[in-house]
Amino acid sequence: MFKQLPATDLETVRVIVNGQSISVTKGMTVAATVLSQQQKYTRTTAISGSKRAPFCMMGVCYDCVMVINGKANQRACATYVEEGMQIEIQQGAGSDLVGNEL
Amino acid sequence: MKDNYQLVIIGGGPAGLAAATTAANQGVCCALLDEQPTLGGQIYRAIESIPKQRTQQLGDEYTRGKPLVTAFRESDTEYYPETKVWSLNKQREIGVLYKDEARIIQADQVIVASGAMERPIPFKGWTLPGVMQAGAGQILFKSAGVVPDNGVVLAGSGPLLLLLAWQYLHAGVDVKALLDVTPLSNHLLALPKLPKALLAHHYLTKGIGYQIELKRAGIPLLFGVSDLRAEGEGYLQKVSFKHFGKQKNIESELLLTHFGVIPHAWLTQSADCKHQWDDSQQCWRPEHDEWGNTSLDGIIVAGDGAGIHGARSAEHAGRLAGLEALFALGIISQTERNKQGIQDRKWMKDERYIRPFLEAYFKIPQSLLATADNDTIVCRCEEVTAGQIRDAVKKGHDNSNQVKFFTRCGMGSCQGRQCSNAVAHIVADEKGESVEKMGHFRGRPPVAPLTLDQLACLNKELI
Ligand SMILES: Cc1cc2nc3c(=O)[nH]c(=O)nc-3n(C[C@H](O)[C@@H](O)[C@H](O)COP(=O)(O)OP(=O)(O)OC[C@H]3O[C@@H](n4cnc5c(N)ncnc54)[C@H](O)[C@@H]3O)c2cc1C
Ligand code: FES
């Protein structure tokens, strides 16, 4: 769906997306990374199991949540890649966040 | 980060940057907090770190952000990037998440410059992977140099759509079509507002210039589009729509939509500042005076978070808010505030001449605000459809908050940011009442999710 335009002098880090190690530009969000890796979806919904992908890229829709370094419900568009980061598609609900019902 | 500041500014876009620079340069101890890792807000996102070649593709409106950021860096403001504000109350206690740690800081004055977000419009298929907001496409471009690699369809209404098409064209992206859903009847409605808009004609000439370039490049610009749908099994495969009543399809794996922007007013709503429905801008916004003072003492708003007026106006409003904070803190007199604010007030007025025209021209039609298609998902998080919302109204739940509790619509992780307006429009439509009467979802802290661990180590009791 997306590709990264070529640019010089960009530092890279290695991250693991769904078990596969890849090299990406430092400072990129996880969402930008997975979209430019042709990853078509990033989670399935808890209710109908339908596939979803990042929608707003500005942290407001929560459709981009993924399992990052083992933690569920992390917004991929608001998380920045770090060396060795483990990124996985999230299936259904995660459990360790508190939201608006607090 | 200290526990107390004379002034805290939330948001590092043009409004926040200008406000902070103005106040800090006159000796105020202030901090600017922004959840992004870079300065510039939405319009000037990543302006300090972007490779040079990309700034050219983004155009000269983008590079205007450079001097603003430089002046801010030269001021004594403490800047905290990647710092999310998750609550604000009338005592001006600010809940922040900084370095993964939740804390509460106190400010004598607060300037909320939280900007805008895309207006979410539910339409058939908008939850499919491959359908994104145009702003999302722009964020990917500015912050990471990531652009569509297999073509893209742009659809919706509003100036950002043209701008993005132009930026993509300059980056070598295949724009398959731009589908404009603006009702043609809007042209007539906007006509009486044209003479005033001519006072800010650089916006009009820019828009026309973009259109000419896009047409020359052979990009199909289709006006009078309706019945937009995203279709596909599991993913977007084609975009279908009607063009002057004729059914058409375009195969595409990516559709970016834009229906204007609305104030990102979650913080002011959860602080309980008074908000009003703006019929011309079709959104809720915090009530404020010309200096940005809200209904709550010491809470000032500036920029698109206060009402949509665009980036340049945000910069002027930011400076005026900074002056107001200086006055409220007793650093300058009212006369001095008025004197220092003369230019910005004038420029801001000039900037805003274009707005009534733009608002009338790009007015989103009722058919999009309150989708008639009952199978369309309105609440993306809880997967509640327009039909379920209408059923709730028929059962006697007659405002947005009642419908929310009955259907769970707006209770998911986005806290209703994506469906709040659509629910109000559908309920109003069903009841034959005004949207204003339906109210908005009550915003509650935390406006961003926190983990229990983060909450547990709070330095002070919440509220
Ligand atoms: C996605 C998008 C793209 C846009 N692109 C353009 C464009 O190219 N050209 C144009 O003319 N206009 C654009 N706009 C319109 C935009 O609103 C500008 O007019 C301008 O950026 C407004 O400036 P501002 O300072 O009011 O807010 P913004 O520039 O939006 O800045 C607000 C800042 O506040 C921060 N923030 C918000 N809430 C919190 C919180 N709770 N905690 C911490 N930080 C927070 C945000 O991270 C952001 O950096 C865009 C809008 C959007 C939503
Ligand atoms: S894409 Fe919307 S929150 Fe991440």
Side-chain angles (χ1 to χ4, degrees):
Chain A
M1 250 191 311
F2 285 94
K3 66 171 180 209
Q4 192 176 17
L5 293 170
T8 47
D9 299 337
L10 294 178
E11 270 184 77
T12 60
V13 293
R14 288 200 83 79
V15 296
I16 299 140
V17 181
N18 295 321
Q20 206 188 344
S21 174
I22 53 161
S23 166
V24 297
T25 310
K26 211 173 156 183
M28 251 166 94
T29 59
V30 171
T33 303
V34 293
L35 287 169
S36 49
Q37 290 300 316
Q38 312 304 324
Q39 180 70 48
K40 280 196 159 179
Y41 74 103
T42 46
R43 71 164 183 129
T44 60
T45 64
I47 294 163
S48 69
S50 55
K51 296 185 176 81
R52 292 285 173 87
F55 179 65
C56 72
M57 285 301 293
M58 58 174 292
V60 290
C61 75
Y62 287 74
D63 249 325
C64 65
V65 292
M66 297 187 80
V67 182
I68 299 176
N69 287 338
K71 262 168 87 181
N73 285 321
Q74 303 300 304
R75 281 174 303 167
C77 74
T79 309
Y80 297 85
V81 289
E82 277 169 18
E83 186 64 38
M85 188 178 256
Q86 301 259 1
I87 302 162
E88 283 155 76
I89 291 174
Q90 177 165 326
Q91 308 287 350
S95 57
D96 47 2
L97 286 183
V98 288
N100 59 334
E101 285 167 280
L102 195 85
Chain B
M1 188 179 288
K2 301 189 193 90
D3 290 336
N4 279 288
Y5 288 92
Q6 284 181 294
L7 172 63
V8 167
I9 296 119
I10 303 163
L17 290 169
T21 311
T22 304
N25 285 350
Q26 302 197 45
V28 175
C29 163
C30 59
L32 183 139
L33 321 173
D34 196 307
E35 62 183 314
Q36 306 299 328
T38 58
L39 283 170
Q42 297 304 352
I43 175 153
Y44 310 129
R45 191 178 268 259
I47 185 117
E48 288 182 301
S49 51
I50 201 160
K52 196 158 179 245
Q53 188 200 356
R54 257 183 244 156
T55 53
Q56 286 152 6
Q57 292 158 345
L58 287 166
D60 52 3
E61 282 298 311
Y62 181 71
T63 42
R64 267 182 69 91
K66 273 249 162 76
L68 205 59
V69 173
T70 310
F72 170 79
R73 288 283 188 191
E74 284 165 3
S75 80
D76 285 331
T77 318
E78 288 178 28
Y79 164 46
Y80 296 96
E82 290 186 71
T83 304
K84 173 106 196 162
V85 176
W86 51 266
S87 92
L88 171 67
N89 64 18
K90 47 166 84 82
Q91 289 80 33
R92 296 179 303 280
E93 291 171 317
I94 306 162
V96 305
L97 189 62
Y98 169 60
K99 294 196 172 157
D100 220 24
E101 209 180 88
R103 53 166 82 202
I104 307 260
I105 60 172
Q106 173 78 49
D108 299 335
Q109 294 286 313
V110 179
I111 296 178
V112 183
S114 52
M117 57 178 264
E118 293 252 2
R119 182 198 315 278
I121 291 283
F123 63 93
K124 199 67 183 267
W126 75 312
T127 54
L128 281 176
V131 182
M132 297 171 82
Q133 293 176 323
Q138 230 196 10
I139 289 169
L140 281 164
F141 189 3
K142 287 177 187 168
S143 62
V146 168
V147 296
D149 70 342
N150 208 6
V152 59
V153 174
L154 303 178
S157 180
L160 197 66
L161 215 51
L162 265 187
L163 172 65
L164 182 62
W166 183 91
Q167 289 170 334
Y168 275 165
L169 174 68
H170 284 256
V173 172
D174 169 25
V175 179
K176 296 184 185 191
L178 192 156
L179 312 177
D180 194 322
V181 303
T182 311
L184 298 176
S185 54
N186 281 11
H187 298 192
L188 270 181
L189 292 176
L191 206 57
K193 306 188 192 298
L194 186 59
K196 205 169 171 197
L198 291 172
L199 296 171
H201 55 83
H202 53 282
Y203 286 109
L204 297 174
T205 38
K206 193 143 231 166
I208 295 166
Y210 289 154
Q211 280 197 25
I212 294 173
E213 250 191 88
L214 292 168
K215 274 200 185 134
R216 262 199 209 128
I219 294 172
L221 305 182
L222 273 59
F223 297 95
V225 167
S226 64
D227 292 60
L228 180 69
R229 281 162 182 255
E231 295 176 14
E233 279 304 312
Y235 315 99
L236 177 74
Q237 285 158 332
K238 71 176 184 203
V239 181
S240 81
F241 56 95
K242 281 192 177 146
H243 187 224
F244 292 116
K246 235 173 142 186
Q247 186 62 43
K248 291 191 175 168
N249 299 310
I250 302 176
E251 281 186 24
S252 184
E253 59 177 29
L254 187 63
L255 165 68
L256 298 181
T257 61
H258 176 68
F259 302 96
V261 296
I262 55 173
H264 194 192
W266 251 243
L267 275 175
T268 45
Q269 281 177 3
S270 76
D272 233 4
C273 295
K274 270 197 198 139
H275 285 68
Q276 65 185 92
W277 176 257
D278 185 323
D279 222 18
S280 182
Q281 297 193 350
Q282 302 174 287
C283 60
W284 291 95
R285 60 174 178 78
E287 282 181 24
H288 59 85
D289 67 11
E290 60 174 330
W291 299 93
N293 293 300
T294 63
S295 61
L296 295 180
D297 198 30
I299 300 185
I300 305 169
V301 285
D304 276 1
I308 306 302
H309 297 286
R312 292 197 196 182
S313 182
E315 190 179 325
H316 302 306
R319 245 175 251 127
L320 296 175
L323 291 173
E324 180 61 18
L326 282 161
F327 166 54
L329 290 166
I331 295 170
I332 58 172
S333 67
Q334 193 167 25
T335 326
E336 188 57 26
R337 176 201 70 177
N338 294 353
K339 199 174 125 205
Q340 288 193 34
I342 284 179
Q343 283 298 343
D344 281 293
R345 280 165 84 186
K346 184 191 170 300
W347 288 329
M348 193 162 85
K349 199 170 148 214
D350 293 349
E351 278 301 318
R352 292 185 178 185
Y353 283 133
I354 188 82
R355 287 288 143 184
F357 174 77
L358 289 182
E359 286 161 15
Y361 191 91
F362 293 114
K363 197 163 186 110
I364 305 294
Q366 184 66 12
S367 57
L368 280 167
L369 294 172
T371 175
D373 179 84
N374 279 337
D375 293 336
T376 295
I377 289 178
V378 173
C379 171
R380 300 172 66 93
C381 302
E382 297 291 320
E383 299 183 67
V384 181
T385 61
Q388 286 168 287
I389 295 169
R390 291 202 164 89
D391 280 348
V393 179
K394 287 194 185 104
K395 290 199 173 101
H397 303 277
D398 56 7
N399 66 45
S400 295
N401 282 298
Q402 282 188 21
V403 168
K404 172 175 167 177
F405 291 115
F406 184 70
T407 60
R408 290 197 56 79
C409 187
M411 282 199 187
S413 3
C414 91
Q415 304 186 342
R417 284 173 176 80
Q418 295 298 310
C419 67
S420 177
N421 276 9
V423 171
H425 281 292
I426 294 171
V427 179
D429 184 52
E430 197 60 22
K431 289 188 61 69
E433 301 245 30
S434 71
V435 194
E436 188 166 10
K437 264 199 167 162
M438 298 304 109
H440 52 78
F441 289 160
R442 271 187 292 275
R444 291 218 186 88
V447 298
L450 297 173
T451 62
L452 287 172
D453 289 353
Q454 287 162 344
L455 265 185
C457 56
L458 254 190
N459 60 346
K460 211 168 141 189
E461 276 288 293
L462 223 184
I463 309 181

